[in-house]
Amino acid sequence: MTRLRLILFILLSAAGVAASFAATAAAPDALPAVLVSRQLAESARLHVGDTVTFALDAEGKGGRQFRVAGTYEPTPDPMKFTARRIEARMHLPDLVDVTAAQPDADSADAVDGINVRLAHPDDARAFGAAVMARAPGIFARPTARTGDGSDPFAVLDRFHFAIAVVTVVGSTAFLLALMVMRAEERRETVGIVRLIGISQRSILLEVLVEGLLIAAGGAIFGVLFALATQGAVNRFFQWRYDTALVFVRVTTRIALESVALAVPLGIVAGLVGSWTLLRRDVVAMVRR
Amino acid sequence: MTNAAPLIEGRDLTRQFPMTAGAVTALNHASIRIEAAEYVAITGPSGCGKSTLLHLLGCVDQPTSGSLTFEGRDVARLNETERSRIRLTRIGFVFQRFFLLPMLTAWENVELPQAEAGVPRSERRNRTRELLEYVGLADRIDHRPSQLSGGEMQRVAIARALANRPALLLADEPTGELDEVTGDQIADLFDRVHADGTAIVVVTHNATVAARAGRRLAMKSGRIVEAGKQ
Ligand SMILES: Nc1ncnc2c1ncn2[C@@H]1O[C@H](COP(=O)(O)OP(=O)(O)O)[C@@H](O)[C@H]1O
Ligand SMILES: [Mg+2]
């Protein structure tokens, strides 16, 4: 394990720490450094150089003083985006110090998570396995996507997929109803062209081309609209939840998938609509 | 003329429409023979089966019983594609309500059947110009039906009907929605079409239009009751 250098950044559980900091004015330079999250700095009006006390106890009993060395933007986490990120990062020995000073034995449990950044991220899996083997009761896993379906992004993906399926099914039903209505509006026109001898093949071809153009146009419009608005959507939710998390990102793949789905759907809807007319009796279509 | 093969011949044509309240017999054992380049007018009260007969002659609809030959071919043996082809290339249709395609210009309405028939572009352009000149609308080629008067729309419809040089022009109440003067202009146009060698069958209530035909048929209750020659 020695080759795996553990680099320090500690994430203190917000609940344990948040309530018990206070800016004081004591011998600043000698104090250990701490980084506070942007949100914590904003809500407690902390500045670089300020002295703060961290304790696991709400009254500040047995607390340790630190010097604010800087602020940081917490890594966006979809599992935490509704939580206020009142967090701090301190050196591991300082953390041990803070927790060891607690008279109450249970308080040591207030640290419920530590993020470890590896110098060689590829070793994450092996590192996690080694930690778990040596320290029973500790659960260590890489933050990179595991692909086993349990990571939060996979859960979100499934959620998005479900929303997409519902949207597609709903709008397809709507589109079909619309196309059948449009076809009905064109009853007389189709009757006329069939009467003067335009073949069903030509009519279907025309509908096909029309459906293709409309569907492709619609899909491209949708993608452009999403591209144009994704910035605004992200900014709104980032403001709403005070996070740097990116909520919407229109990737090339998403754009292509939308077009690939919309175009056949549009064509099918057009064909279904016109099929209802092509099956009909010509005379009946032009009779009043 | 009587010895030559007829353009179209219908024998014992009966057409019934099955309805929930019982079948309606629109045409009842009607027989008709139209020679090439003939001009025939059909008159009769509303509902007597004139349009039904015209639809059969035009290969749009099919009889419940009886036989029909068009240019020697048994229409009952043709499939929808073949009948569609006959309508496109051998028959022109003119209706009371014009039936132009509203989203197309006069030019495009006349060009459409030619494009469907596979007429090359340059030939199509000449033919369309010639036809719109023929009906006196050379200056309205880019107008849509909504920008034309009833008489003008009917003239575009006639130009369209003639686009593929049909052997037969079928007209169902072509002056029904027009005033007398405009109706006369349409009748004049029919005279010219007939003079140019196209057979015409016109269903009409208009006595002056009927008077121009070489032969007049009267219908009543699905039967042809009276045939007069002039
Ligand atoms: N498609 C149809 N369905 C039901 N009845 C029809 C249909 N076409 C015509 N008819 C009936 O057949 C009769 C003759 O109609 P039609 O040929 O249109 O008469 P006309 O053109 O002489 O006024 C009418 O009673 C009409 O209601
Ligand atoms: Mg009629």
Side-chain angles (χ1 to χ4, degrees), chain B residues 58-134:
Chain B
C59 305
V60 182
D61 192 17
Q62 292 193 286
T64 311
S65 67
S67 72
L68 185 76
T69 57
F70 185 92
E71 294 186 323
R73 299 164 82 188
D74 183 354
V75 176
R77 305 185 100 115
L78 306 177
N79 62 28
E80 168 56 26
T81 309
E82 289 164 324
R83 280 185 279 122
S84 176
R85 191 76 194 171
I86 287 182
R87 295 199 297 272
L88 180 70
T89 58
R90 304 304 297 153
I91 304 174
F93 293 91
V94 175
F95 299 91
Q96 179 172 356
R97 287 190 298 137
F98 324 126
F99 282 164
L100 295 175
L101 296 183
M103 58 288 195
L104 301 185
T105 62
W107 180 279
E108 291 162 343
N109 265 289
V110 178
E111 209 181 15
L112 177 72
Q114 302 174 66
E116 174 75 10
V119 177
R121 188 180 292 269
S122 63
E123 204 178 308
R124 220 154 70 197
R125 199 176 300 139
N126 293 338
R127 177 76 180 151
T128 305
R129 184 173 300 119
E130 176 189 304
L131 282 164
L132 286 167
E133 275 166 17
Y134 183 81

Side-chain angles (χ1 to χ4, degrees), chain B residues 198-229:
Chain B
T198 308
I200 300 178
V201 175
V202 57
V203 163
T204 184
H205 277 116
N206 186 324
T208 46
V209 174
R212 301 190 185 217
R215 185 155 63 106
R216 277 175 298 285
L217 303 176
M219 286 185 70
K220 199 177 173 188
S221 308
R223 293 173 185 274
I224 296 172
V225 290
E226 180 193 318
K229 220 171 180 146

